[in-house]
């Protein structure tokens, strides 16, 4: 979402504001959402992009909405627990969002499972789906390998995005300034001696990922573990699917054979998710 633009892509002067005596009109844009609902979600997304806490003036600058409109929306969000006001008068995301997020993650994992099952059956290795939340990757679904020695990542686990193939795959789809914001809020701490720990080196890595169409974690998160990942296109949130396993077995899986399969499954999953997101 571009800073300084309305979520509908219009200038502030083009909008009918209820604070100036008008009535809230249904919006005929994407998704057919009512304008006030779209504005509410725009503010929540801006808060998330800012790391979960933001000043009212920053929301006004980033959204181009009138301050009275923002203040009214934030009062409603605070009253429902979806936002809270800090002693500093800054606004932060509220605890009521946790229940929504957990439920959405379970649903997302359920939709992804058939695609992951096909990937695991074809490769023999553990497959995962993960989404980017802030500076971390959250695993939302997994189909484990049948090997006795296999990779297991608990669904719901959070890890730093910079040290994972799924995190790099998602970041490779994002604008450069957004990537910089994400990495600037992260410590980029080394998980192993192979972890990428600087923004400049990550930019170089992301350029390579865009060129070849997939991301590789070659022992960057855990020694002896190798992982391929591709982003899920058109999904409502930044997400990726991956396969992972012990380095000895994974090196025998040719990227030029498995990546086309992963890209097809990611496209099909992305199509399903984007279709599901549309109202009937």
């Amino acid at each position: 979402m571009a800073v300084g633009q309305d979520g509908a892509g219009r200038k502030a002067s083009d909008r009918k504001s209820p604070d100036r005596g008008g009535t809230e009109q249904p919006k005929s844009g994407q998704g057919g959402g009512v304008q006030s609902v779209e504005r509410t979600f725009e503010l929540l997304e801006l808060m998330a992009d800012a790391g979960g806490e933001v000043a009212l003036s920053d929301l006004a600058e980033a959204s181009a909405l009138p301050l009275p409109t923002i203040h009214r929306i934030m009062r409603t969000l605070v009253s429902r627990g979806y936002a809270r006001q800090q002693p500093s008068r800054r606004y932060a995301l509220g605890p009521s969002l946790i229940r929504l997020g957990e439920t959405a993650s379970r649903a997302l994992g359920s939709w992804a499972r058939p695609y992951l099952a096909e990937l695991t059956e074809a490769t023999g290795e553990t497959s995962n789906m993960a989404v980017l939340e802030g500076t971390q990757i959250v695993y939302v679904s997994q189909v484990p390998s049948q090997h006795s020695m296999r990779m297991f990542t608990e669904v719901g686990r959070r890890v730093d995005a910079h040290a994972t193939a799924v995190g790099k795959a998602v970041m490779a789809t994002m604008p450069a300034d957004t990537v910089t914001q994400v990495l600037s809020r992260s410590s980029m701490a080394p998980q192993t001696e192979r972890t990428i720990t600087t923004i400049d080196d990550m930019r170089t890595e992301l350029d390579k990922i865009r060129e070849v169409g997939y991301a590789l974690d070659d022992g960057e998160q855990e020694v002896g573990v190798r992982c391929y990942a591709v982003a899920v296109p058109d999904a409502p949130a930044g997400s990726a699917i991956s396969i992972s396993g012990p380095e000895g077995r994974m090196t025998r899986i040719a990227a030029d054979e498995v990546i086309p399969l992963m890209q097809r499954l990611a496209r099909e999953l992305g199509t399903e998710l984007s279709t599901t997101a549309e109202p009937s």
Side-chain angles (χ1 to χ4, degrees):
M1 185 178 300
V3 171
Q5 285 187 329
D6 177 78
R10 296 175 295 177
K11 296 183 295 183
S13 59
D14 295 333
R15 297 190 300 266
K16 184 71 172 178
S17 172
D19 300 304
R20 297 171 184 166
T23 56
E24 198 80 4
Q25 298 294 326
K27 186 179 181 304
S28 58
Q30 185 177 10
V34 177
Q35 188 181 63
S36 60
V37 176
E38 186 169 279
R39 288 174 169 180
T40 300
F41 284 114
E42 179 183 1
L43 295 180
L44 287 171
E45 290 171 356
L46 287 171
M47 292 173 70
D49 290 342
E53 184 177 327
V54 68
L56 197 69
S57 58
D58 294 331
L59 287 175
E61 180 180 356
S63 67
L65 294 174
L67 271 172
T69 298
I70 297 174
H71 194 260
R72 185 184 66 252
I73 292 172
M74 296 308 299
R75 275 204 316 268
T76 301
L77 290 173
V78 169
S79 71
R80 300 301 298 265
Y82 294 108
R84 53 192 172 88
Q85 192 168 30
Q86 309 283 61
S88 64
R89 310 298 294 174
R90 292 167 64 88
Y91 286 95
L93 295 176
S96 292
L97 292 170
I98 296 173
R99 180 172 62 89
L100 298 183
E102 290 177 343
T103 303
S105 292
R106 287 194 296 271
L108 187 60
S110 177
W111 284 320
R113 191 169 181 83
Y115 300 93
L116 300 182
E118 182 176 344
L119 183 56
T120 293
E121 182 178 357
T123 63
E125 299 298 344
T126 297
S127 57
N128 298 280
M129 182 180 184
V131 298
L132 180 66
E133 290 189 6
T135 64
Q136 293 188 311
I137 281 291
V138 182
Y139 289 90
V140 297
S141 189
Q142 181 180 88
V143 173
S145 166
Q146 296 302 308
H147 290 290
S148 57
M149 180 182 293
R150 62 191 181 195
M151 300 313 303
F152 178 79
T153 300
E154 183 179 0
V155 171
R157 182 188 178 198
R158 295 172 177 267
V159 295
D160 290 337
H162 73 284
T164 65
V166 281
K168 292 190 292 183
V170 171
M171 287 190 290
T173 68
M174 297 162 55
D177 57 344
T178 305
V179 172
T180 299
Q181 291 174 13
V182 169
L183 296 177
S184 296
R185 296 199 302 266
S186 169
S187 66
M188 295 193 74
Q191 306 300 311
T192 73
E193 62 180 13
R194 296 182 180 179
T195 306
I196 297 173
T197 57
T198 70
I199 293 178
D200 285 343
D201 286 345
M202 183 59 74
R203 289 197 186 105
T204 300
E205 177 76 357
L206 297 181
D207 286 341
K208 293 178 183 176
I209 293 169
R210 296 183 190 104
E211 181 179 349
V212 300
Y214 69 94
L216 172 67
D217 167 5
D218 190 11
E220 296 160 48
Q221 174 66 31
E222 191 172 342
V223 175
V225 175
R226 190 176 175 92
C227 177
Y228 291 120
V230 299
V232 177
D234 302 321
S239 56
I241 60 173
S242 68
I243 56 169
S244 58
E247 186 174 5
R249 286 205 311 263
M250 289 293 293
T251 52
R252 294 196 293 269
I253 298 178
D256 58 356
E257 295 178 1
V258 72
I259 297 305
L261 170 62
M262 296 179 68
Q263 291 171 334
R264 175 179 66 79
L265 293 172
R267 285 194 303 270
E268 292 175 359
L269 175 57
T271 298
E272 179 176 348
L273 293 176
S274 60
T275 301
T276 305
E278 292 294 325
S280 58

